C-alpha cells in the first residue's frame, strides 16, 4: 500500500495508425489509474499520436492489415478503392466511442492530466522535420539514450 | 488497526468484501489507512461512486466519474495520489474496478 516503492512503466509507441495508437494510450492510462509512474516515448510513426496536426486524423490501414476483425474485414482488392481507409477509420472511431474511449487527441490530454510524461523521439523528429512546437503542449523532446536511462528500474513495453 | 476496520472483511488487495457493510465512518478509516484525509471534494467522488454502484452494481470508471461530476482528471489524481482507479473504489467500499479507462 502506501509505503511500497512506486512502480514505473516505460512505453515506447512506434506506430501511428488509429488501431495502434490506442494500446499505448490505454496502457499508460491504466498504469496511472493504479498509481504507476509512466513515461511514454513516441518514435517514428508513433510521433503522429502527439503531433497536433495529425493526432485527430489517424487512419486504420485496410490493405495489408491481417488483423482486421471480421466485422471490419475488407478484402484487399476492395481496400484499394479510394475512401475505404477513411470509411474503416470512421467505423473504428465509432466503435471506440461506444466503449467510452475518447478520440486520440482527448486521450493524450487525459493521460497528461493523469500525470503521464510524454516524450517525442529527437531523431524521428529531425527526420520528419518536426519541432517541439508541433507536438502537443507539455510533451518534451528526448534522445533514445536519455529515455533508456530514464527507464532504469522500471518495466518497458514496446508497441 | 482500528476496531471498525477489524469488524469487516477485506480481500487480499484491500477492497471491502461486502460493499453493503460500507459506512461513512468506515470510509474515513479506509482512507486514513491509505494515507488520505477525506475532504468535501473526496466525498463528491465517493458519493457518486456509491450511487453508480447502487444502480449498476459495479464501481464507475474514472472517465465516468470525471464526465458526470465536477471533479476533473487532474483533481481526481490530486485527491487520490496513489492511483485513483484503485483508491476511489477502496474508500467507497466497492470491489476493484474492471473498466480500462
Amino acid at each position: 500500500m502506501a509505503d511500497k516503492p512506486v512502480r514505473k512503466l516505460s512505453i515506447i509507441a512506434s506506430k501511428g495508425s488509429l488501431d495502434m495508437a490506442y494500446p499505448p494510450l490505454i496502457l499508460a492510462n491504466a498504469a496511472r489509474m493504479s498509481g504507476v509512474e509512466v513515461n511514454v516515448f513516441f518514435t517514428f510513426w508513433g510521433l503522429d499520436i502527439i503531433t497536433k496536426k495529425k493526432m485527430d486524423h489517424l487512419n486504420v490501414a485496410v490493405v495489408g492489415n491481417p488483423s482486421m476483425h471480421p466485422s471490419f474485414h475488407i478484402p484487399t482488392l476492395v481496400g484499394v478503392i479510394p475512401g475505404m481507409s477513411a470509411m474503416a477509420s470512421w467505423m473504428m472511431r465509432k466503435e471506440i466511442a461506444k466503449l467510452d474511449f475518447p478520440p486520440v487527441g482527448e486521450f493524450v490530454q487525459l493521460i497528461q492530466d493523469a500525470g503521464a510524461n510524454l516524450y517525442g523521439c529527437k531523431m524521428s523528429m529531425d527526420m520528419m522535420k518536426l519541432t517541439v512546437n508541433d507536438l502537443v503542449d507539455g510533451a518534451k523532446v528526448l534522445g533514445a539514450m536519455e529515455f533508456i536511462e530514464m527507464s532504469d528500474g522500471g518495466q518497458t513495453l514496446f508497441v | 488497526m482500528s476496531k471498525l476496520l477489524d469488524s469487516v472483511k477485506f480481500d487480499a488487495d484491500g477492497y471491502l468484501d461486502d460493499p453493503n457493510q460500507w459506512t461513512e465512518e468506515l470510509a474515513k478509516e479506509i482512507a486514513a489507512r491509505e494515507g488520505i484525509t477525506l475532504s468535501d471534494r473526496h466525498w463528491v467522488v465517493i458519493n457518486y461512486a456509491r450511487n453508480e454502484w447502487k444502480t449498476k452494481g459495479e464501481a464507475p470508471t474514472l472517465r465516468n466519474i470525471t464526465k458526470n461530476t465536477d471533479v476533473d482528471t487532474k483533481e481526481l489524481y490530486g485527491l487520490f495520489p496513489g492511483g485513483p482507479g484503485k483508491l476511489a473504489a477502496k474508500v467507497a467500499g466497492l470491489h476493484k474496478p474492471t473498466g480500462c479507462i
Side-chain angles (χ1 to χ4, degrees):
Chain A
M1 290 185 204
D3 28 32
K4 264 197 206 162
V6 176
R7 253 179 83 185
K8 204 160 108 174
L9 179 65
S10 300
I11 302 174
I12 299 163
S14 71
K15 302 235 167 46
S17 58
L18 181 61
D19 47 337
M20 292 307 285
Y22 276 88
L25 295 174
I26 292 170
L27 291 168
N29 183 58
R32 287 302 304 138
M33 289 199 300
S34 53
V36 175
E37 187 185 320
V38 175
N39 295 305
V40 194
F41 189 64
F42 295 87
T43 185
F44 273 80
W45 317 129
L47 269 176
D48 287 355
I49 301 169
I50 54 165
T51 302
K52 278 185 280 199
K53 278 188 185 154
K54 294 201 169 168
M55 58 202 303
D56 282 317
H57 308 283
L58 303 183
N59 283 314
V60 54
V62 290
V63 175
N65 185 344
S67 326
M68 297 289 274
H69 185 271
S71 67
F72 287 124
H73 185 71
I74 295 160
T76 296
L77 280 174
V78 177
V80 298
I81 297 169
M84 285 313 288
S85 173
M87 198 194 79
S89 305
W90 173 78
M91 278 171 63
M92 187 169 277
R93 283 195 189 97
K94 227 173 55 175
E95 294 300 319
I96 289 167
K98 272 191 213 161
L99 297 172
D100 202 26
F101 284 95
V104 171
E106 199 186 323
F107 210 156
V108 168
Q109 183 61 51
L110 173 68
I111 67 168
Q112 279 191 305
D113 287 348
N117 303 309
L118 312 184
Y119 301 98
C121 162
K122 186 169 186 317
M123 194 211 82
S124 308
M125 290 179 66
D126 288 348
M127 192 179 84
M128 297 176 194
K129 313 258 182 304
L130 295 173
T131 72
V132 70
N133 298 321
D134 295 306
L135 303 183
V136 68
D137 292 342
K140 298 189 183 93
V141 180
L142 206 67
M145 194 181 80
E146 288 169 282
F147 185 74
I148 295 296
E149 284 171 0
M150 183 183 281
S151 311
D152 186 28
Q155 292 156 311
T156 304
L157 278 178
F158 183 85
V159 181
Chain B
M1 277 260 220
S2 76
K3 271 190 191 157
L4 190 56
L5 288 175
D6 274 339
S7 68
V8 291
K9 270 172 85 181
F10 292 92
D11 71 9
D13 294 323
Y15 296 86
L16 190 62
D17 251 351
D18 178 6
N20 289 307
Q21 290 183 319
W22 181 89
T23 60
E24 293 193 356
E25 275 312 305
L26 189 59
K28 285 180 199 162
E29 299 211 3
I30 297 171
R33 183 164 73 178
E34 300 288 344
I36 299 167
T37 308
L38 296 181
S39 69
D40 289 351
R41 299 302 286 165
H42 289 98
W43 284 107
V44 172
V45 175
I46 296 166
N47 291 332
Y48 180 74
R50 290 294 302 180
N51 276 327
E52 282 292 288
W53 171 77
K54 270 181 208 153
T55 52
K56 296 179 186 156
E58 57 183 5
T61 61
L62 296 188
R63 184 158 163 82
N64 179 341
I65 294 172
T66 55
K67 268 176 143 181
N68 297 300
T69 69
D70 65 343
V71 177
D72 65 17
T73 302
K74 273 187 188 165
E75 188 183 2
L76 193 55
Y77 277 82
L79 292 172
F80 300 97
K86 292 192 293 192
L87 294 179
K90 267 187 196 177
V91 176
L94 308 177
H95 291 161
K96 191 186 283 181
T98 51
C100 296
I101 179 98

